[in-house]
Amino acid sequence: MTNLYHEDIYKFEKPVKSYWESTIDTDNNYKTLDTNFNANIVVIGGGYTGLSCALSLVKKHNEDVVLLEAGHIGWGSSGRNAGFCCIPPAKMSVKKMFKKYGRTETKKFFQNTIEGSNFTKSIIKEYNIDCDLTGDSNFEVAPHPSYFENIKEEAEKYKKEFGIETKVFTREEFNEIGHGGNEQFGAMSYKPGFAINPLKFLIGLAKTANQAGVKIFQKSKVTKIEKVNGKYKIISNNQIINTNKIVMATNGFYKDDIFPKLNNMILPVISNIIITRPLTDDEIQSHNFITNNPVLNIRNLLFYYRLLKDKRFLFGARGDLIGSEESSLEKSKQMEKQMKNVFPNWSDVNIDFHWRGLVAVTTKFSPSIGKLDDDEIYYSFGYQANGVNTAPWAGNELTKLIVSNSKDLNISKIYKGLPSKFPFPKLRLFYLRVALAYYKFKDKY
Ligand SMILES: Cc1cc2nc3c(=O)[nH]c(=O)nc-3n(C[C@H](O)[C@H](O)[C@H](O)COP(=O)(O)OP(=O)(O)OC[C@H]3O[C@@H](n4cnc5c(N)ncnc54)[C@H](O)[C@@H]3O)c2cc1C
């Protein structure tokens, strides 16, 4: 087992003091596993992937499903992200995708990612989940005049190649409908795009899954999986669950410990969020901050932000490379400085919340959905920080593999199959450090 980060970040038993936790009633009634069980399918991980998969298995296919979550329900990244529903889940340019996968698969990939956005929205509606859905599109903002050309090209490509509705705004136009500040030199919008309270969505999904019949156990970390005569023994809290099929839905929090064939494939990258106190109307107006849509500043080391319904400002960025509580605090101070450089009229505004979590990056730079050869182990991970869009949809897609004898899914091949393992996996953070230094250099203008 490789421990890439400080243990602080893997304290499953410790609730994360996110802003979202302050918006809900934190008590829930999910049990902790304290007895042996038999189940046809066990889902490991209680984020959007695991819950959506478990819910579909029970509701659409009438399966017998147990879900095990190491923390409390809502502990993982699904309960603490920024709530942006963006496209696409890839850290690769369209040009590279065309070259690597061809036009047809790339078009299908974009079609699937739009399905992902619509899927997330549709289950919010279908299950009546009150999760403060806001916005009708996403904005990408040029941080410097030299980025505006890229924005225009991207808007054109999205429209022409993928039929996505886009609109370009000059700096002056965006000032009228979006915001001002020091890093706004024009923008584009695309649809679909929106934002949610991620934890309310997660809790609503868990409640729906539980009511449909998924047996959910929290504070039940899986510590070992043994294969005996083609079936599996899952060990958690010193109890054993015998099962026929397993779903790996642990994404960025996977510690290279229980699925040897899936080890060393994920580079968990820390992502941090800070949230201000509620801004006054004057403060909001001082930067013409009008929009409730999610906004992405498209620096190579990108950051993102949005105004919340109680007028607090959320600002997110890549995190540190250590993972301790101390390094997280230090990072949040740097982010506060960065946010105030971009929006200088808020220099006196306090930060009320800061926290972080892990996103999963892989050598494929796109998600991985599938089944292990010679095993009844199914996986879905590597959303490249786009899980609100992708994880619920991917969890639902995965069920089609689990319940049928088919070995294939009718989705773009960009999503399918495993990434290659990282060479010298202990050096993963070193690779990240080098990539970050390169991006920082590219962002100098
Ligand atoms: C700070 C931050 C901001 C982000 N912002 C956005 C955003 O705005 N938009 C967006 O689309 N995406 C965002 N993301 C990414 C997004 O949150 C993830 O892609 C998504 O939540 C992944 O869902 P998941 O269910 O696969 O994983 P998770 O939600 O992380 O769930 C995995 C679960 O597995 C559990 N687990 C791990 N090991 C075990 C084990 N051995 N036994 C039992 N359980 C285990 C973990 O406790 C965890 O709860 C952000 C992530 C972070 C950290």
Side-chain angles (χ1 to χ4, degrees), residues 280-346:
T280 64
D281 289 341
D282 284 349
E283 283 166 342
I284 292 171
Q285 274 161 24
S286 74
H287 281 303
N288 284 347
F289 213 103
I290 293 155
T291 183
N292 288 319
N293 288 337
V295 187
L296 234 79
N297 173 310
I298 63 151
R299 281 167 172 267
N300 287 290
L301 286 179
L302 64 81
F303 53 86
Y304 49 89
Y305 42 87
R306 67 183 173 103
L307 201 55
L308 303 176
K309 73 170 189 185
D310 61 0
K311 300 183 182 171
R312 291 175 188 273
F313 192 67
L314 178 156
F315 187 87
R318 180 199 56 78
D320 65 86
L321 291 164
I322 298 167
S324 64
E325 294 293 354
E326 255 181 341
S327 62
S328 172
L329 181 63
E330 206 171 298
K331 180 70 197 177
S332 71
K333 299 260 179 243
Q334 289 166 12
M335 284 167 63
E336 180 179 351
K337 214 167 143 199
Q338 189 178 21
M339 182 199 96
K340 291 177 176 177
N341 281 338
V342 179
F343 299 105
N345 300 339
W346 300 344

Side-chain angles (χ1 to χ4, degrees), residues 10 12 20 43-51 67-86 198 202 217 219-224 235-236 248-255 257-259 269-273 294 296 304 306 314 316-317 355-360 380-392:
Y10 293 108
F12 294 99
W20 311 121
V43 175
I44 304 177
Y48 302 148
T49 306
L51 284 167
L67 183 145
L68 300 173
E69 164 55 45
H72 66 271
I73 289 297
W75 184 89
S77 292
S78 299
R80 50 171 124 159
N81 63 65
F84 288 38
C85 192
C86 305
L202 185 286
F217 295 97
K219 299 173 189 161
S220 304
K221 183 173 188 286
V222 174
T223 47
K224 201 170 176 193
I235 321 291
S236 170
M248 181 259 205
T250 45
N251 203 44
F253 283 99
Y254 180 54
K255 290 187 78 181
D257 50 0
I258 50 177
F259 301 103
V269 176
I270 302 178
S271 192
N272 279 53
I273 291 176
L296 234 79
Y304 49 89
R306 67 183 173 103
L314 178 156
W355 72 94
R356 46 52 196 285
L358 294 172
V359 303
S380 183
F381 62 90
Y383 310 124
Q384 325 289 324
N386 260 298
V388 177
N389 167 283
T390 316

Side-chain angles (χ1 to χ4, degrees), residues 64-132:
D64 166 31
V65 183
V66 164
L67 183 145
L68 300 173
E69 164 55 45
H72 66 271
I73 289 297
W75 184 89
S77 292
S78 299
R80 50 171 124 159
N81 63 65
F84 288 38
C85 192
C86 305
I87 60 166
K91 291 261 175 292
M92 212 185 324
S93 66
V94 169
K95 198 170 155 195
K96 257 197 197 137
M97 274 191 236
F98 277 162
K99 196 161 168 221
K100 191 164 175 201
Y101 296 101
R103 264 196 147 67
T104 310
E105 291 299 328
T106 305
K107 286 192 175 197
K108 198 164 175 183
F109 177 70
F110 272 85
Q111 190 188 320
N112 288 151
T113 187
I114 289 167
E115 275 167 36
S117 271
N118 293 337
F119 185 80
T120 299
K121 209 176 221 175
S122 74
I123 55 175
I124 289 170
K125 200 165 167 211
E126 182 179 352
Y127 302 127
N128 212 4
I129 300 174
D130 179 6
C131 58
D132 304 331

